[in-house]
Amino acid sequence: MPSHGIRDRVAIVGMGCTRFAEHWDKGVDELLLDAAGEAFASAGVTKDEVDAYWLGTAQSGMSGMTLARPLRLRGKPVTRVENYCATGSEALRQAAYAVASGAYDVAMAIGAEKVKDSGYQGLNAFPVPNDGTQRTLTAAAMFSMVAPAYARRYGVSEAGMRTVLARIASKNHANGARNPRAQFRKEVPVERLCAMPAVAGGLSVFDCAGVADGAAAAVLVRAEDAARYTGRPLFIKALSLVAGDGSGVTDPSYDYTSFPEVAASAADAYAQAGVTAPRDELAMAEVHDCFTPTELVLTEDLGLADRGTAWKRVLAGDFDRDGELPVNSDGGLKAFGHPVGASGLRMMFEAWLQLRGEAPPERRISTSGSRSLALTHNLGGYPGEMVSFVSIVGTS
């Protein structure tokens, strides 16, 4: 076990999550109050019993006061963090390490984003000073390059790739249709998805995650204290974050069929958790399906499928809710949309429900036998320049 791991030293004892949707009637304050309130109730604590808070938000607030003000926190440390689309996971990671260090007994990680009534189609990408050599393509355009690269490398026809990507979208929409917290709750057949017009490269609108408002929160304590709060905690087995150096966008050999940051963070997380055969040990995986080809490549980078085989496993239904290894059983970013500061914690909320057997019967996965662990994966950035987070949690 690596010396930098916190395996089984920290437990999640309460969680909350709003619906991810077009919350025209709520601001970021109300979303934070809703998610925090549910997490407090879940853990059986009050806001004053939480020693410290970590708030993840990309552009819905500029300091810890973004949380302290609506919660009326007095005399509490509140740290605001941001790490691209992995912002919610960053809040969780920092809160977990703070508890593991002994600095605090109880911490909250909370993430939120209010995007839908900003006047923009997504986040307001304010201009960051640079040297003028950064990419100028949209996220959809950048990730659209993954599909033809993968098809060429592994001999998948254009029509075949279109079906694979449609199968991923259809799976996630089917899962979201059974989830009352998801933004999009209609099933969409593969045939209809295949007929959609392209908007970026070969990607249609239905290959892209939507825009949403939402918030999610977790209460963390030391593992030995978890029984005071719940009889069914989630124990953190691994937390890994890798920040790339951005060199992929100027590297002619970058082939878009693998994200090195994801592979590195997965290997580190598995080493921390002592996982040697993820396909046999994981009960589920929540992955960052910002675009359908992203999910395809992620399943290989995370070791859920051998290189060049994920497309076959998608078509075989191996990653369906009732398949061999459910991926995005809650509907993923595809059905939830992507309020940047909250998505990483929303993924953990699904692990919380599924591993504790609290997901409703119509969408519950099997967690019996040797499969008792959940993986969450959250990335930020673009092919060639991204950050990647992987966590592994379990109930024992």
Side-chain angles (χ1 to χ4, degrees):
M1 174 182 169
S3 60
H4 61 270
I6 61 169
R7 183 177 177 183
D8 291 330
R9 291 168 58 189
V10 178
I12 299 171
V13 295
M15 290 207 71
C17 184
T18 69
R19 187 182 178 212
F20 283 27
E22 297 178 344
H23 287 291
W24 303 111
D25 59 336
K26 293 184 178 182
V28 67
D29 287 4
E30 288 79 14
L31 294 172
L32 287 168
L33 286 166
D34 288 349
E38 185 177 355
F40 290 143
S42 175
V45 300
T46 66
K47 65 180 183 180
D48 295 328
E49 292 174 297
V50 176
D51 300 317
Y53 294 79
W54 273 261
L55 164 68
T57 188
Q59 292 181 20
S60 291
M62 296 305 295
S63 78
M65 289 181 65
T66 304
L67 180 67
R69 184 182 293 111
L71 263 64
R72 293 293 185 260
L73 300 175
R74 298 183 182 275
K76 299 288 184 178
V78 184
T79 304
R80 180 256 180 178
V81 301
E82 182 273 327
N83 211 341
Y84 279 171
C85 300
T87 290
S89 295
E90 183 66 78
L92 177 74
R93 187 176 75 101
Q94 294 196 28
Y97 280 121
V99 169
S101 74
Y104 302 106
D105 296 326
V106 185
M108 171 173 277
I110 184 166
E113 214 71 63
K114 188 76 177 78
V115 181
K116 288 304 294 186
D117 53 1
S118 66
Y120 294 87
Q121 292 179 329
L123 285 178
N124 171 22
F126 54 86
V128 177
N130 64 79
D131 62 3
T133 63
Q134 291 188 348
R135 54 142 196 99
T136 58
L137 297 177
T138 65
M142 289 289 287
F143 281 96
S144 75
M145 299 182 195
V146 172
Y150 186 96
R152 284 194 302 269
R153 180 160 187 172
Y154 297 116
V156 185
S157 68
E158 182 178 351
M161 180 57 69
R162 180 67 254 152
T163 301
V164 169
L165 300 184
R167 184 70 173 76
I168 291 172
S170 182
K171 165 183 71 72
N172 291 348
H173 277 291
N175 292 342
R178 292 163 174 77
N179 194 334
R181 297 178 197 256
Q183 179 179 23
F184 304 115
R185 301 198 58 207
K186 291 184 179 179
E187 296 194 38
V188 188
V190 171
E191 296 75 18
R192 182 183 174 195
L193 292 167
C194 285
M196 291 288 178
V199 296
L203 303 186
S204 77
V205 168
F206 276 76
D207 288 300
C208 310
V211 177
D213 305 325
V219 177
L220 299 89
V221 303
R222 286 187 295 276
E224 60 265 29
D225 298 331
R228 300 181 194 172
Y229 302 91
T230 178
R232 294 178 295 167
L234 285 192
F235 296 100
I236 295 177
K237 310 291 183 178
L239 299 170
S240 179
L241 180 79
V242 169
D245 65 2
S247 61
V249 292
T250 57
D251 181 0
S253 67
Y254 192 86
D255 70 358
Y256 289 87
T257 66
S258 174
F259 306 138
E261 299 91 342
V262 176
S265 58
D268 180 38
Y270 292 144
Q272 289 183 42
V275 170
T276 57
R279 278 176 278 181
D280 298 326
E281 297 175 64
L282 295 175
M284 58 173 287
E286 286 287 304
V287 309
H288 194 100
D289 60 317
C290 49
F291 302 93
T292 51
T294 314
E295 179 172 324
L296 178 68
V297 168
L298 290 177
T299 54
E300 296 185 5
D301 282 339
L302 295 168
L304 311 183
D306 293 334
R307 292 290 177 191
T309 68
W311 68 277
K312 298 177 183 178
R313 300 199 69 188
V314 168
L315 295 177
D318 291 349
F319 301 132
D320 290 2
R321 188 180 61 259
D322 57 355
E324 179 183 334
L325 177 53
V327 173
N328 290 335
S329 55
D330 62 351
L333 276 72
K334 189 70 201 67
F336 269 79
H338 182 28
V340 171
S343 287
L345 284 159
R346 183 270 301 163
M347 297 174 184
M348 187 61 70
F349 184 74
E350 176 67 1
W352 170 264
L353 292 179
Q354 293 287 4
L355 292 188
R356 287 160 47 97
E358 293 183 349
E362 64 270 18
R363 65 178 207 85
R364 190 174 300 164
I365 67 169
S366 172
T367 56
S368 60
S370 60
R371 297 174 183 242
S372 60
L373 301 173
L375 176 148
T376 72
H377 167 264
N378 199 193
L379 68 79
Y382 306 85
E385 50 175 357
M386 66 174 57
V387 298
S388 174
F389 169 89
V390 174
S391 81
I392 298 173
V393 296
T395 54
S396 62

